[in-house]
Amino acid sequence: MAKKARFVAGGVCGLLLLTVLILTAQGVKSDRSAYCTRVIDGDTIELSTGERVRYIGIDTAEPKDRLGKVITEFNRYLIEGKDIRLEFDIEKYDKYNRLLAYVYVDDIFVNATLVERGLAEVMTVPPNVRYRKHFQQLQEKARKSKRGIWSKG
C-alpha cells in the first residue's frame, strides 16, 4: 500500500510541475498591443493607459546631453503616436513598477534597432535575457562600424 501511495504522490507532483512549466512558458511568450502616447527618453515610453515601459536589454544616454537628445528624438520618430506590440520576458515589472518589454512597431524590433544603429548599449538584467546574444552581436557590429556612441573610439 505504501508503494501505491508514493506512486500516486509522485504522479501528482509530476503533474503539478508540468502545469507550472506550461503556465510559465505561456507567460514568457505573452504579447500585448498598446499605443505609445509619449517617448520619455531613448529606452522609456508611456502608453495610452498611463503605464510606463522600459525597454529590456538595452540602455541609452539620458536626454540631458546632446547624444541623449538625438537618441530620444529617434525613438520618438520610431514609435510615438503609433500602435506597438510589447513582448514580455520572465519578469514583467521593474522596481519602479514600469513594464519591461521588447517593443515592436510594424516589423521593426525597436530595442534591436537602437543597438544596431549604435544608439544603445546592451544591458541585460537577469532573468530577462531572451535576446542577450542577439543584442551583443548587433552591438559588436555597431562598434566595429563605429556607429553612434561607438564613433569616438
Side-chain angles (χ1 to χ4, degrees):
M1 198 65 166
K3 285 185 179 181
K4 186 176 181 180
R6 280 195 301 262
F7 179 75
V8 170
V12 169
C13 288
L15 284 173
L16 285 173
L17 179 60
L18 181 61
T19 302
V20 168
L21 290 173
I22 290 169
L23 290 174
T24 300
Q26 289 173 344
V28 168
K29 297 287 185 185
S30 66
D31 284 4
R32 174 177 153 195
S33 295
Y35 182 80
C36 176
T37 54
R38 183 168 74 103
V39 167
I40 295 167
D41 59 27
D43 54 34
T44 310
I45 60 172
E46 188 170 279
L47 305 178
S48 59
T49 60
E51 296 167 291
R52 288 193 177 190
V53 176
R54 173 68 166 80
Y55 297 176
I56 297 174
I58 68 169
D59 189 42
T60 63
E62 296 301 317
K64 61 186 173 196
D65 63 36
R66 190 180 66 76
L67 183 57
K69 287 178 187 173
V70 170
I71 296 166
T72 299
E73 285 305 313
F74 181 73
N75 194 25
R76 184 169 286 123
Y77 165 78
L78 284 177
I79 70 168
E80 192 170 84
K82 296 180 182 175
D83 291 315
I84 62 174
R85 181 174 58 87
L86 306 176
E87 177 186 341
F88 303 111
D89 209 327
I90 304 295
E91 288 183 350
K92 199 169 176 180
Y93 293 94
D94 68 6
K95 65 182 179 181
Y96 304 107
N97 205 34
R98 297 178 296 191
L99 280 169
L100 298 171
Y102 303 106
V103 179
Y104 299 82
V105 60
D106 299 322
D107 61 346
I108 298 170
F109 184 5
V110 177
N111 311 49
T113 299
L114 292 169
V115 174
E116 182 178 37
R117 291 181 179 238
L119 301 177
E121 286 187 77
V122 176
M123 184 191 77
T124 53
V125 179
N128 292 345
V129 296
R130 181 177 303 148
Y131 295 109
R132 178 186 66 220
K133 288 180 184 177
H134 179 58
F135 291 165
Q136 288 171 335
Q137 290 169 346
L138 292 173
Q139 179 173 282
E140 189 56 32
K141 287 179 185 176
R143 188 183 312 220
K144 285 180 179 177
S145 300
K146 299 185 186 269
R147 281 181 263 171
I149 60 176
W150 311 113
S151 64
K152 293 183 181 179

